[in-house]
Coordinates of all heavy atoms in Angstrom, one line a residue:
M306 N 75.8 83.4 71.5 CA 74.9 84.1 72.4 C 73.6 83.3 72.5 O 72.9 83.1 71.5 CB 74.6 85.5 71.9 CG 73.6 86.2 72.8 SD 74.3 86.6 74.4 CE 72.9 87.5 75.2
V307 N 73.2 82.8 73.7 CA 71.9 82.0 73.8 C 70.8 83.0 74.1 O 70.9 84.0 74.8 CB 72.1 81.0 74.9 CG1 72.4 81.6 76.2 CG2 70.9 80.0 74.9
A308 N 69.6 82.7 73.5 CA 68.4 83.6 73.7 C 67.7 83.3 75.0 O 67.6 82.2 75.5 CB 67.5 83.4 72.5
R309 N 67.1 84.4 75.6 CA 66.3 84.2 76.7 C 65.0 83.6 76.3 O 64.4 83.9 75.2 CB 66.0 85.7 77.3 CG 65.3 85.8 78.6 CD 65.5 87.2 79.1 NE 64.8 87.3 80.4 CZ 63.6 88.0 80.5 NH1 63.0 88.5 79.4 NH2 62.9 88.1 81.6
L310 N 64.4 82.7 77.1 CA 63.2 82.0 76.8 C 62.0 83.0 76.8 O 61.9 83.8 77.7 CB 62.9 80.9 77.8 CG 63.7 79.6 77.7 CD1 63.3 78.6 78.8 CD2 63.5 79.0 76.3
T311 N 61.1 82.9 75.8 CA 59.9 83.7 75.8 C 58.9 83.1 76.9 O 59.1 82.0 77.4 CB 59.1 83.5 74.5 OG1 58.8 82.2 74.3 CG2 60.0 84.0 73.3
D312 N 57.9 83.9 77.3 CA 57.0 83.4 78.3 C 56.4 82.1 78.0 O 56.3 81.2 78.8 CB 55.9 84.5 78.5 CG 56.4 85.8 79.2 OD1 57.6 85.8 79.5 OD2 55.7 86.7 79.3
G313 N 56.0 82.0 76.7 CA 55.3 80.7 76.3 C 56.3 79.5 76.4 O 55.9 78.5 76.9
L314 N 57.5 79.7 75.9 CA 58.4 78.6 75.9 C 58.8 78.2 77.4 O 59.0 77.1 77.7 CB 59.7 79.0 75.1 CG 59.7 78.6 73.7 CD1 60.9 79.1 73.0 CD2 59.5 77.1 73.5
R315 N 58.9 79.3 78.2 CA 59.2 79.0 79.6 C 58.1 78.2 80.3 O 58.3 77.1 80.9 CB 59.3 80.3 80.4 CG 59.6 80.1 81.9 CD 59.7 81.4 82.7 NE 58.4 82.0 82.7 CZ 58.1 83.2 82.2 NH1 59.0 83.9 81.5 NH2 56.9 83.7 82.3
E316 N 56.8 78.6 80.0 CA 55.7 77.8 80.7 C 55.7 76.4 80.2 O 55.5 75.4 80.9 CB 54.4 78.6 80.4 CG 54.2 79.8 81.3 CD 53.3 80.8 80.6 OE1 52.5 80.5 79.8 OE2 53.3 82.0 81.0
E317 N 55.9 76.2 78.9 CA 56.0 74.9 78.3 C 57.1 74.1 78.9 O 56.9 72.9 79.3 CB 56.2 75.1 76.8 CG 55.9 73.8 75.9 CD 56.2 74.2 74.4 OE1 55.6 75.2 73.9 OE2 57.1 73.5 73.8
S318 N 58.3 74.7 79.0 CA 59.4 73.9 79.6 C 59.2 73.6 81.1 O 59.5 72.5 81.5 CB 60.7 74.8 79.5 OG 60.9 75.2 78.1
L319 N 58.6 74.5 81.8 CA 58.4 74.3 83.3 C 57.3 73.2 83.5 O 57.3 72.5 84.5 CB 58.1 75.6 84.0 CG 59.2 76.5 84.1 CD1 58.8 77.8 84.9 CD2 60.4 75.8 84.9
A320 N 56.4 73.1 82.5 CA 55.4 72.1 82.7 C 56.0 70.7 82.8 O 55.5 69.8 83.5 CB 54.4 72.1 81.5
A321 N 57.2 70.5 82.1 CA 57.8 69.2 82.1 C 58.8 69.1 83.3 O 59.5 68.1 83.4 CB 58.6 69.1 80.8
L322 N 58.9 70.2 84.1 CA 59.8 70.2 85.3 C 59.0 70.5 86.5 O 59.3 71.6 87.1 CB 61.0 71.2 85.0 CG 62.0 70.8 84.0 CD1 62.9 72.1 83.6 CD2 62.9 69.7 84.4
P323 N 58.1 69.7 86.9 CA 57.2 70.0 88.0 C 57.8 70.3 89.4 O 57.2 71.0 90.2 CB 56.2 68.8 88.0 CG 57.0 67.7 87.4 CD 57.9 68.3 86.4
D324 N 59.0 69.8 89.6 CA 59.6 70.1 90.9 C 60.4 71.4 91.0 O 61.0 71.7 92.0 CB 60.6 68.9 91.2 CG 59.8 67.6 91.4 OD1 58.8 67.6 92.2 OD2 60.2 66.6 90.7
W325 N 60.5 72.1 89.8 CA 61.2 73.4 89.8 C 60.2 74.5 89.8 O 59.1 74.4 89.3 CB 62.1 73.4 88.5 CG 63.2 72.4 88.6 CD1 63.1 71.1 88.3 CD2 64.6 72.7 88.9 NE1 64.4 70.5 88.5 CE2 65.3 71.5 88.8 CE3 65.3 73.8 89.2 CZ2 66.6 71.4 89.0 CZ3 66.6 73.7 89.4 CH2 67.3 72.5 89.3
R326 N 60.7 75.6 90.4 CA 59.8 76.8 90.5 C 60.4 78.0 89.8 O 61.7 78.1 89.8 CB 59.6 77.2 92.0 CG 58.9 76.2 92.8 CD 57.4 76.3 92.6 NE 56.7 75.1 93.2 CZ 56.6 73.9 92.6 NH1 57.1 73.7 91.4 NH2 55.9 72.9 93.2
W327 N 59.7 78.8 89.2 CA 60.2 80.0 88.4 C 60.3 81.1 89.4 O 59.4 81.4 90.2 CB 59.3 80.4 87.3 CG 59.8 81.6 86.5 CD1 61.0 81.7 86.0 CD2 59.0 82.7 86.2 NE1 61.1 82.9 85.3 CE2 59.9 83.6 85.4 CE3 57.7 83.1 86.4 CZ2 59.5 84.8 84.9 CZ3 57.3 84.4 85.9 CH2 58.2 85.2 85.2
D328 N 61.5 81.7 89.4 CA 61.8 82.9 90.2 C 61.7 84.1 89.3 O 62.6 84.4 88.5 CB 63.2 82.8 90.9 CG 63.6 84.1 91.6 OD1 63.1 85.2 91.3 OD2 64.4 84.0 92.6
A329 N 60.5 84.8 89.3 CA 60.3 85.9 88.4 C 61.3 87.0 88.5 O 61.7 87.6 87.5 CB 58.8 86.4 88.6
E330 N 61.7 87.3 89.7 CA 62.6 88.4 89.9 C 63.9 88.2 89.2 O 64.5 89.1 88.6 CB 62.8 88.6 91.4 CG 63.5 89.9 91.8 CD 63.8 89.9 93.3 OE1 62.9 89.4 94.1 OE2 64.8 90.4 93.7
R331 N 64.4 86.9 89.3 CA 65.7 86.6 88.7 C 65.6 86.1 87.3 O 66.6 85.9 86.6 CB 66.5 85.5 89.5 CG 66.9 85.9 90.9 CD 68.1 86.8 90.9 NE 69.2 86.4 90.0 CZ 70.1 85.5 90.3 NH1 70.1 85.0 91.5 NH2 71.1 85.2 89.4
D332 N 64.3 85.7 86.9 CA 64.1 85.0 85.7 C 65.0 83.7 85.7 O 65.9 83.5 84.9 CB 64.3 85.8 84.4 CG 63.8 85.0 83.2 OD1 62.9 84.2 83.3 OD2 64.2 85.3 82.0
A333 N 64.7 82.9 86.7 CA 65.5 81.7 87.0 C 64.6 80.6 87.5 O 63.4 80.9 87.8 CB 66.5 82.0 88.1
I334 N 65.1 79.4 87.5 CA 64.3 78.3 88.1 C 65.1 77.8 89.3 O 66.3 77.7 89.3 CB 64.0 77.2 87.1 CG1 65.3 76.7 86.4 CG2 63.0 77.6 86.1 CD1 65.1 75.4 85.5
T335 N 64.3 77.3 90.3 CA 64.9 76.9 91.6 C 64.3 75.6 92.0 O 63.1 75.3 91.7 CB 64.7 77.9 92.7 OG1 63.3 78.0 93.0 CG2 65.3 79.3 92.3
R336 N 65.1 74.8 92.8 CA 64.6 73.6 93.4 C 65.4 73.3 94.6 O 66.6 73.5 94.7 CB 64.7 72.4 92.4 CG 64.1 71.1 93.0 CD 64.1 69.9 92.1 NE 63.6 68.7 92.8 CZ 63.5 67.5 92.3 NH1 63.8 67.3 91.0 NH2 63.1 66.5 93.1
R337 N 64.7 72.8 95.7 CA 65.3 72.3 96.9 C 65.4 70.8 96.9 O 64.4 70.2 96.6 CB 64.6 72.8 98.2 CG 65.0 72.0 99.4 CD 64.7 72.7 100.7 NE 65.5 73.9 100.9 CZ 65.5 74.6 102.0 NH1 64.8 74.2 103.0 NH2 66.3 75.6 102.1
F338 N 66.6 70.3 97.2 CA 66.8 68.8 97.2 C 67.1 68.5 98.7 O 67.9 69.2 99.3 CB 68.0 68.4 96.4 CG 67.8 68.7 94.9 CD1 68.0 70.0 94.4 CD2 67.3 67.7 94.0 CE1 67.8 70.3 93.0 CE2 67.1 68.0 92.7 CZ 67.4 69.3 92.2
E339 N 66.5 67.4 99.2 CA 66.8 67.0 100.6 C 67.3 65.5 100.5 O 66.7 64.7 99.9 CB 65.5 67.1 101.4 CG 65.1 68.5 101.7 CD 64.1 68.7 102.9 OE1 64.1 67.8 103.8 OE2 63.4 69.6 102.9
F340 N 68.4 65.3 101.3 CA 69.0 64.0 101.3 C 69.0 63.4 102.7 O 68.6 64.1 103.6 CB 70.4 64.1 100.7 CG 70.4 64.5 99.2 CD1 70.5 65.9 98.9 CD2 70.2 63.6 98.2 CE1 70.4 66.3 97.6 CE2 70.1 64.0 96.9 CZ 70.3 65.4 96.6
R341 N 69.5 62.2 102.8 CA 69.5 61.5 104.1 C 70.4 62.3 105.1 O 70.1 62.4 106.3 CB 70.0 60.0 103.9 CG 69.8 59.2 105.2 CD 70.4 57.8 105.0 NE 71.8 57.8 104.6 CZ 72.3 57.1 103.6 NH1 71.5 56.4 102.8 NH2 73.6 57.1 103.4
D342 N 71.5 62.7 104.5 CA 72.5 63.3 105.4 C 73.5 64.2 104.5 O 73.3 64.3 103.3 CB 73.3 62.3 106.2 CG 73.9 61.2 105.3 OD1 74.2 61.5 104.1 OD2 74.1 60.1 105.7
F343 N 74.5 64.8 105.2 CA 75.4 65.6 104.4 C 76.2 64.8 103.4 O 76.4 65.3 102.3 CB 76.4 66.3 105.4 CG 77.5 67.1 104.7 CD1 77.1 68.3 104.1 CD2 78.7 66.6 104.6 CE1 78.1 69.1 103.5 CE2 79.7 67.3 103.9 CZ 79.4 68.6 103.3
N344 N 76.6 63.6 103.7 CA 77.3 62.8 102.8 C 76.6 62.6 101.5 O 77.2 62.8 100.4 CB 77.6 61.4 103.5 CG 78.5 60.6 102.6 OD1 78.1 60.0 101.7 ND2 79.8 60.5 103.0
Q345 N 75.3 62.3 101.6 CA 74.5 62.1 100.4 C 74.4 63.4 99.6 O 74.5 63.5 98.4 CB 73.1 61.6 100.8 CG 73.1 60.2 101.4 CD 73.5 59.2 100.4 OE1 73.1 59.2 99.2 NE2 74.5 58.3 100.8
A346 N 74.1 64.5 100.4 CA 74.0 65.8 99.7 C 75.2 66.2 99.0 O 75.2 66.7 97.8 CB 73.6 66.9 100.8
F347 N 76.4 66.0 99.6 CA 77.6 66.4 99.0 C 78.0 65.5 97.8 O 78.5 66.0 96.8 CB 78.8 66.4 100.0 CG 80.0 67.2 99.5 CD1 80.0 68.6 99.6 CD2 81.1 66.6 99.0 CE1 81.1 69.3 99.2 CE2 82.2 67.3 98.5 CZ 82.1 68.7 98.6
G348 N 77.6 64.3 97.9 CA 77.9 63.4 96.7 C 77.0 63.9 95.5 O 77.5 63.9 94.4
F349 N 75.8 64.3 95.8 CA 74.9 64.8 94.7 C 75.6 66.1 94.2 O 75.7 66.3 92.9 CB 73.6 65.1 95.4 CG 72.7 66.0 94.5 CD1 72.0 65.4 93.4 CD2 72.4 67.3 94.8 CE1 71.2 66.2 92.6 CE2 71.6 68.1 94.0 CZ 71.0 67.5 92.9
M350 N 76.1 67.0 95.0 CA 76.7 68.2 94.5 C 77.9 67.9 93.7 O 78.2 68.6 92.7 CB 77.1 69.1 95.7 CG 75.9 69.6 96.5 SD 76.4 70.6 97.9 CE 76.9 72.1 97.1
T351 N 78.6 66.9 94.0 CA 79.8 66.5 93.2 C 79.4 66.1 91.8 O 80.0 66.5 90.8 CB 80.6 65.4 93.9 OG1 80.9 65.8 95.3 CG2 81.8 65.0 93.2
R352 N 78.3 65.3 91.8 CA 77.9 64.9 90.4 C 77.3 66.0 89.6 O 77.6 66.1 88.4 CB 76.8 63.8 90.6 CG 77.4 62.5 91.1 CD 76.4 61.3 91.0 NE 75.2 61.5 91.9 CZ 75.2 61.2 93.2 NH1 76.3 60.8 93.7 NH2 74.1 61.4 93.9
V353 N 76.6 66.9 90.3 CA 76.1 68.1 89.6 C 77.3 69.0 89.1 O 77.3 69.5 87.9 CB 75.2 69.0 90.5 CG1 74.8 70.3 89.8 CG2 73.9 68.2 90.8
A354 N 78.3 69.1 89.9 CA 79.5 69.9 89.5 C 80.1 69.3 88.2 O 80.5 70.1 87.3 CB 80.5 69.9 90.6
L355 N 80.2 68.0 88.1 CA 80.8 67.4 87.0 C 79.9 67.7 85.7 O 80.5 68.0 84.6 CB 81.0 65.9 87.2 CG 82.0 65.5 88.3 CD1 82.0 64.0 88.5 CD2 83.4 66.1 87.9
I356 N 78.6 67.6 85.9 CA 77.7 67.9 84.8 C 77.9 69.4 84.3 O 77.9 69.7 83.2 CB 76.3 67.6 85.1 CG1 76.1 66.1 85.3 CG2 75.3 68.1 84.1 CD1 74.7 65.7 85.9
A357 N 77.9 70.2 85.3 CA 78.0 71.7 85.1 C 79.3 72.0 84.3 O 79.3 72.8 83.3 CB 78.0 72.5 86.4
E358 N 80.4 71.4 84.7 CA 81.7 71.6 84.0 C 81.6 71.1 82.6 O 82.0 71.8 81.6 CB 82.8 70.9 84.7 CG 83.4 71.7 85.9 CD 84.1 73.0 85.3 OE1 85.2 73.0 84.9 OE2 83.4 74.0 85.4
K359 N 81.0 70.0 82.4 CA 80.9 69.4 81.0 C 80.0 70.3 80.2 O 80.3 70.5 79.0 CB 80.3 68.0 81.2 CG 80.4 67.1 79.9 CD 80.1 65.7 80.2 CE 80.0 64.8 79.0 NZ 79.4 63.5 79.3
A360 N 79.0 70.8 80.8 CA 78.0 71.7 80.0 C 78.5 73.1 79.9 O 77.9 73.9 79.2 CB 76.6 71.6 80.6
D361 N 79.5 73.4 80.7 CA 80.0 74.8 80.8 C 78.8 75.7 81.2 O 78.5 76.8 80.6 CB 80.6 75.3 79.5 CG 81.3 76.7 79.7 OD1 81.7 76.9 80.8 OD2 81.3 77.5 78.7
H362 N 78.0 75.2 82.2 CA 76.8 76.0 82.6 C 76.7 75.7 84.1 O 76.5 74.5 84.5 CB 75.6 75.5 81.8 CG 74.4 76.4 82.0 ND1 74.4 77.7 81.4 CD2 73.3 76.3 82.7 CE1 73.3 78.3 81.8 NE2 72.6 77.5 82.5
H363 N 76.8 76.7 84.9 CA 77.0 76.5 86.4 C 75.9 77.0 87.2 O 75.4 78.1 86.9 CB 78.3 77.1 86.8 CG 79.5 76.6 86.0 ND1 79.8 77.1 84.7 CD2 80.4 75.6 86.2 CE1 80.9 76.4 84.3 NE2 81.2 75.5 85.1
P364 N 75.5 76.2 88.2 CA 74.4 76.6 89.1 C 74.8 77.7 90.1 O 76.0 77.8 90.4 CB 74.0 75.3 89.8 CG 75.3 74.6 89.9 CD 76.0 74.9 88.6
E365 N 73.8 78.4 90.6 CA 74.0 79.2 91.9 C 73.4 78.3 92.9 O 72.2 77.9 92.8 CB 73.3 80.5 91.8 CG 73.9 81.4 90.7 CD 73.1 82.7 90.6 OE1 72.4 83.1 91.5 OE2 73.1 83.4 89.5
W366 N 74.1 77.9 93.9 CA 73.6 77.0 94.9 C 74.1 77.2 96.3 O 75.1 77.9 96.5 CB 73.9 75.5 94.4 CG 75.3 75.2 94.1 CD1 76.4 76.0 94.1 CD2 75.7 73.9 93.6 NE1 77.5 75.3 93.6 CE2 77.1 74.0 93.4 CE3 75.1 72.7 93.4 CZ2 77.8 72.9 92.9 CZ3 75.8 71.6 93.0 CH2 77.2 71.7 92.7
S367 N 73.3 76.5 97.3 CA 73.8 76.6 98.6 C 73.5 75.2 99.3 O 72.5 74.5 98.8 CB 73.1 77.7 99.4 OG 71.7 77.4 99.5
N368 N 74.2 74.9 100.3 CA 74.0 73.6 101.0 C 74.0 73.8 102.5 O 75.0 74.5 103.0 CB 75.1 72.7 100.6 CG 75.4 71.5 101.6 OD1 76.4 71.4 102.2 ND2 74.3 70.7 101.7
V369 N 73.0 73.3 103.2 CA 73.0 73.3 104.6 C 72.7 71.8 105.0 O 71.6 71.3 104.8 CB 71.9 74.2 105.2 CG1 71.9 74.1 106.7 CG2 72.1 75.7 104.8
W370 N 73.7 71.2 105.5 CA 73.7 69.8 106.0 C 73.1 68.9 104.9 O 73.8 68.6 103.9 CB 72.9 69.6 107.3 CG 73.1 68.3 107.9 CD1 74.3 67.7 108.2 CD2 72.1 67.3 108.1 NE1 74.1 66.4 108.6 CE2 72.8 66.1 108.6 CE3 70.7 67.2 108.1 CZ2 72.1 64.9 109.0 CZ3 70.0 66.0 108.4 CH2 70.8 64.9 108.9
N371 N 71.8 68.5 105.0 CA 71.3 67.5 104.0 C 70.5 68.2 102.9 O 69.9 67.5 102.1 CB 70.4 66.4 104.7 CG 69.1 67.0 105.3 OD1 69.1 68.2 105.7 ND2 68.1 66.3 105.2
K372 N 70.5 69.5 102.9 CA 69.6 70.2 101.9 C 70.5 71.0 100.9 O 71.6 71.5 101.2 CB 68.7 71.2 102.6 CG 67.7 70.6 103.5 CD 66.8 71.6 104.2 CE 65.8 71.0 105.2 NZ 66.5 70.1 106.2
V373 N 70.1 70.9 99.6 CA 70.8 71.6 98.6 C 69.8 72.5 97.8 O 68.8 71.9 97.3 CB 71.5 70.6 97.6 CG1 72.3 71.4 96.5 CG2 72.5 69.7 98.3
D374 N 70.0 73.8 97.8 CA 69.2 74.7 97.0 C 69.9 75.0 95.7 O 71.0 75.5 95.8 CB 68.8 75.9 97.8 CG 67.9 75.6 98.9 OD1 66.9 74.9 98.7 OD2 68.1 76.0 100.1
I375 N 69.2 74.9 94.6 CA 69.9 75.2 93.3 C 69.0 76.2 92.6 O 67.8 76.1 92.5 CB 70.0 73.9 92.4 CG1 71.0 72.9 93.1 CG2 70.5 74.2 91.0 CD1 71.2 71.6 92.3
L376 N 69.7 77.2 92.0 CA 69.1 78.2 91.1 C 69.8 78.1 89.8 O 71.0 78.1 89.8 CB 69.2 79.6 91.8 CG 68.5 80.7 91.0 CD1 67.9 81.8 91.9 CD2 69.5 81.4 90.1
L377 N 69.0 78.1 88.7 CA 69.6 78.1 87.4 C 69.1 79.3 86.6 O 67.9 79.5 86.5 CB 69.2 76.8 86.7 CG 69.7 75.5 87.3 CD1 69.0 74.3 86.6 CD2 71.2 75.4 87.2
T378 N 70.1 80.0 86.1 CA 69.7 81.1 85.1 C 71.0 81.3 84.2 O 72.0 80.8 84.5 CB 69.4 82.4 85.9 OG1 68.9 83.4 85.0 CG2 70.6 83.0 86.6
T379 N 70.8 82.0 83.1 CA 71.9 82.1 82.1 C 72.4 83.5 82.1 O 71.7 84.4 81.7 CB 71.4 81.7 80.7 OG1 70.9 80.3 80.8 CG2 72.5 81.7 79.7
H380 N 73.6 83.7 82.6 CA 74.2 85.0 82.6 C 74.2 85.6 81.2 O 73.8 86.8 81.0 CB 75.6 85.0 83.2 CG 75.8 84.1 84.4 ND1 76.8 83.3 84.6 CD2 74.9 83.9 85.4 CE1 76.7 82.7 85.8 NE2 75.5 83.0 86.3
D381 N 74.6 84.8 80.2 CA 74.8 85.3 78.9 C 73.4 85.8 78.3 O 73.4 86.5 77.3 CB 75.4 84.2 78.0 CG 76.8 83.9 78.4 OD1 77.3 84.6 79.2 OD2 77.3 82.8 78.0
A382 N 72.3 85.2 78.8 CA 71.0 85.6 78.2 C 70.3 86.6 79.2 O 69.2 87.0 78.9 CB 70.2 84.4 78.0
D383 N 71.0 86.8 80.3 CA 70.4 87.7 81.3 C 69.0 87.2 81.7 O 68.0 88.0 81.9 CB 70.3 89.2 80.8 CG 70.1 90.2 81.9 OD1 70.5 89.8 83.1 OD2 69.5 91.2 81.7
G384 N 68.9 85.9 81.9 CA 67.6 85.3 82.3 C 67.6 83.8 81.9 O 68.7 83.2 81.8
L385 N 66.4 83.2 81.9 CA 66.2 81.8 81.7 C 66.4 81.4 80.2 O 65.9 82.1 79.3 CB 64.8 81.4 82.1 CG 64.6 79.9 82.4 CD1 65.4 79.5 83.6 CD2 63.1 79.7 82.7
S386 N 67.2 80.4 80.0 CA 67.4 79.9 78.6 C 67.3 78.4 78.5 O 67.1 77.7 79.6 CB 68.9 80.3 78.1 OG 69.8 79.4 78.7
T387 N 67.4 77.9 77.3 CA 67.3 76.4 77.2 C 68.4 75.7 77.9 O 68.3 74.6 78.3 CB 67.3 76.0 75.7 OG1 68.5 76.6 75.1 CG2 66.1 76.5 74.9
R388 N 69.5 76.4 78.1 CA 70.6 75.8 78.9 C 70.2 75.4 80.3 O 70.6 74.4 80.9 CB 71.8 76.7 78.8 CG 72.4 76.8 77.4 CD 73.6 77.8 77.4 NE 74.7 77.2 78.0 CZ 75.9 77.9 78.1 NH1 76.0 79.1 77.7 NH2 77.0 77.3 78.7
D389 N 69.4 76.3 80.9 CA 68.9 76.1 82.2 C 67.9 74.9 82.3 O 68.0 74.0 83.2 CB 68.2 77.3 82.8 CG 69.2 78.5 82.8 OD1 70.3 78.4 83.4 OD2 68.9 79.5 82.1
I390 N 67.1 74.8 81.3 CA 66.1 73.7 81.2 C 66.8 72.4 81.0 O 66.6 71.4 81.7 CB 65.1 73.9 80.0 CG1 64.4 75.3 80.1 CG2 64.1 72.8 79.9 CD1 63.7 75.5 81.4
Q391 N 67.8 72.4 80.1 CA 68.6 71.1 79.9 C 69.4 70.7 81.2 O 69.4 69.6 81.5 CB 69.6 71.3 78.7 CG 68.9 71.4 77.4 CD 69.7 72.1 76.3 OE1 70.8 72.5 76.5 NE2 69.1 72.2 75.1
M392 N 69.9 71.7 81.9 CA 70.7 71.4 83.1 C 69.7 70.9 84.2 O 70.0 69.9 84.9 CB 71.4 72.7 83.6 CG 72.1 72.5 84.9 SD 73.4 71.3 84.8 CE 74.6 72.1 83.8
A393 N 68.5 71.5 84.3 CA 67.5 71.0 85.3 C 67.2 69.5 85.0 O 67.1 68.7 85.9 CB 66.3 71.9 85.3
Q394 N 67.0 69.2 83.7 CA 66.7 67.8 83.3 C 67.8 66.9 83.7 O 67.6 65.8 84.2 CB 66.4 67.8 81.8 CG 65.1 68.4 81.4 CD 64.9 68.7 79.9 OE1 66.0 68.7 79.2 NE2 63.7 68.9 79.5
A395 N 69.0 67.3 83.4 CA 70.2 66.5 83.7 C 70.3 66.3 85.3 O 70.7 65.2 85.7 CB 71.5 67.1 83.2
I396 N 70.1 67.3 86.0 CA 70.2 67.2 87.5 C 69.1 66.3 88.0 O 69.3 65.4 88.8 CB 70.0 68.6 88.1 CG1 71.3 69.5 87.8 CG2 69.8 68.5 89.7 CD1 71.1 70.9 88.2
D397 N 67.9 66.4 87.5 CA 66.8 65.5 88.0 C 67.1 64.1 87.6 O 66.7 63.2 88.4 CB 65.4 65.9 87.3 CG 64.9 67.2 88.0 OD1 65.5 67.7 88.9 OD2 63.8 67.7 87.5
A398 N 67.8 63.9 86.6 CA 68.1 62.5 86.2 C 69.1 61.8 87.1 O 69.3 60.6 87.1 CB 68.7 62.5 84.7
L399 N 69.8 62.6 88.0 CA 70.7 62.0 88.9 C 69.9 61.4 90.1 O 70.5 60.7 90.9 CB 71.6 63.2 89.5 CG 72.6 63.8 88.6 CD1 73.3 65.0 89.3 CD2 73.6 62.8 88.1
L400 N 68.7 61.8 90.3 CA 67.9 61.3 91.5 C 67.5 59.9 91.3 O 67.2 59.4 90.2 CB 66.8 62.2 91.7 CG 67.1 63.7 92.0 CD1 65.9 64.5 92.1 CD2 68.0 63.8 93.2
Ligands
HBI910 N1 76.8 79.4 83.8 N2 74.7 79.7 84.7 C1 75.6 80.0 83.8 N3 75.3 81.0 82.9 C2 76.2 81.3 81.9 O1 75.9 82.2 81.1 C3 77.5 80.7 81.9 C4 77.7 79.7 82.9 N4 78.9 79.1 82.9 C5 80.0 79.4 82.0 C6 79.6 80.4 81.0 N5 78.4 81.0 80.9 C7 80.6 80.7 79.9 O2 80.2 80.1 78.7 C8 80.7 82.2 79.6 O3 80.9 82.8 80.8 C9 81.8 82.4 78.6

């Protein structure tokens, strides 16, 4: 069972993830990605999917043409956990 991040740890973690926003209602982090076209966006989603499978930690996401919106939260913690922070870092490293 992974623990939900405390307010302090969340603020500290988000300081290192400046492109992500905290969704207080969901206790989740979100980011919008924009690519040249659908092909680039879908290629990105494919790479994220492989990381998610390997980490056994899956995003909530949507795609409209060249835009991909990702939300990360941990069902098992009923909120934000270190698994979401690690996943956000891994996703940003794909760019
Ligand atoms: N993905 N975002 C997210 N949160 C989880 O808690 C989670 C998951 N993917 C798989 C997973 N948990 C499994 O470990 C549990 O459902 C058993």
